[in-house]
Amino acid sequence: MKRLLRQLGPYKCGFLRQARATAPQQQRVFTMRELGRHVFPEIGLYCAVDGVVYDLTRYYHSHPGGTELLRQHAGRDATGAFQDAH
């Protein structure tokens, strides 16, 4: 699982803001509301896994599980689904 997340590294775009967590200054911090706005590949398809937000827009058409799977989890925390599948 961690190997796949490392492969997605170029798509990483920030961290979710959590009550006790602090993100490094160079990373953008997202709220769940902001994450929820990125659900269309035309404007950006983002999801979060383990508190890290990934921009999956460029990966959308090459995802082995298909585009519909990414759309189902876009704009939300997909940690559980990601761990179940990998």
Side-chain angles (χ1 to χ4, degrees):
M1 178 174 84
K2 291 185 181 197
R3 190 173 121 220
L4 178 60
L5 289 177
R6 279 194 299 269
Q7 290 173 351
L8 292 175
Y11 304 107
K12 184 168 41 172
C13 59
F15 293 92
L16 285 177
R17 180 177 293 141
Q18 298 174 349
R20 297 179 196 196
T22 58
Q25 295 289 1
Q26 69 272 21
Q27 295 288 327
R28 175 164 180 220
V29 178
F30 284 80
T31 63
M32 289 302 290
R33 184 179 183 131
E34 290 173 313
L35 180 64
R37 294 183 190 136
H38 293 87
V39 295
F40 301 106
E42 298 82 19
I43 61 170
L45 191 73
Y46 293 7
C47 76
V49 176
D50 290 329
V52 179
V53 177
Y54 293 90
D55 180 353
L56 302 175
T57 309
R58 292 184 287 166
Y59 186 60
Y60 180 67
H61 291 290
S62 61
H63 184 262
T67 59
E68 188 58 34
L69 187 62
L70 287 184
R71 286 194 71 136
Q72 288 174 1
H73 298 289
R76 64 178 85 183
D77 186 347
T79 302
F82 184 84
Q83 289 175 344
D84 289 346
H86 299 95

